[in-house]
Amino acid sequence: MTTPVYDLFISYNSRDHEQVSRLRDELTELGCESVFLDRLHLQPGLNWVDDLEAALLSSRSMAVFLGARDMGRWQLRERAWALDRTTSEDNYKVIPVLLPGAKPPLGFLQQQMWIDLRQSENPRLLLPDRERKQQLKRLVEA
């Protein structure tokens, strides 16, 4: 079976799944045609680790969604893999995306330009529709 090529691989803490899933739908509506989201693309009953690795290898960029909680165990691995890939592939992008309650990224991720979906007056709320769509367009165009 051939692995599809993904424009964007979404890395996130599973506790943020509901919000990230809605944002993935918005990204698709904005023209990001091939977005990998684990729960939509990994097949039940199959070796998901191999399939996840194949999706990472076939992605053109990664969005690392950061929420109010720490990064998840698998998300940490995905982030490390993606940042390592940027050292050998100039065109591969790793884009931190701040969700409500997130603090700006630390460590190696702070070297990447991020997209902030938090409301500045209340960082615990998601940006209103129009502003959010403008920010998500930046992610689609990356």
Side-chain angles (χ1 to χ4, degrees):
M1 186 167 111
T2 305
T3 303
V5 174
Y6 297 102
D7 294 324
L8 183 67
F9 181 101
I10 293 181
S11 177
Y12 67 102
N13 185 320
S14 61
R15 293 178 178 170
D16 296 320
H17 173 72
E18 188 175 316
Q19 190 168 50
V20 169
S21 182
R22 285 193 307 269
L23 291 168
R24 181 239 173 235
D25 292 344
E26 288 185 44
L27 286 166
T28 302
E29 290 170 15
L30 291 169
C32 196
E33 295 179 20
S34 182
V35 181
F36 177 87
L37 184 63
D38 58 356
R39 294 187 191 184
L40 294 177
H41 292 94
L42 297 178
Q43 298 295 317
L46 297 180
N47 183 339
W48 63 270
V49 176
D50 289 345
D51 290 345
L52 185 68
E53 184 175 17
L56 284 165
L57 287 168
S58 69
S59 66
R60 294 187 177 121
S61 61
M62 178 186 284
V64 180
F65 283 80
L66 304 168
R69 299 168 190 89
D70 290 336
M71 293 179 75
R73 186 176 56 155
W74 280 96
Q75 188 181 23
L76 290 168
R77 292 176 180 182
E78 294 163 357
R79 176 201 61 185
W81 184 92
L83 288 172
D84 185 59
R85 185 171 171 186
T86 64
T87 64
S88 62
E89 294 180 39
D90 292 338
N91 293 331
Y92 190 78
K93 295 179 181 79
V94 178
I95 307 148
V97 180
L98 305 182
L99 297 171
K103 294 181 176 81
L106 299 174
F108 289 118
L109 270 184
Q110 72 184 347
Q111 297 177 36
Q112 311 298 110
M113 289 296 297
W114 63 75
I115 292 177
D116 193 346
L117 298 180
R118 307 167 303 165
Q119 281 192 29
S120 57
E121 39 316 323
N122 186 346
R124 299 225 170 263
L125 297 177
L126 199 59
L127 280 174
D129 285 350
R130 195 174 121 258
E131 294 173 65
R132 185 177 67 249
K133 290 201 186 302
Q134 287 175 338
Q135 290 297 317
L136 289 174
K137 276 187 180 183
R138 292 178 58 214
L139 187 55
V140 170
E141 294 164 358

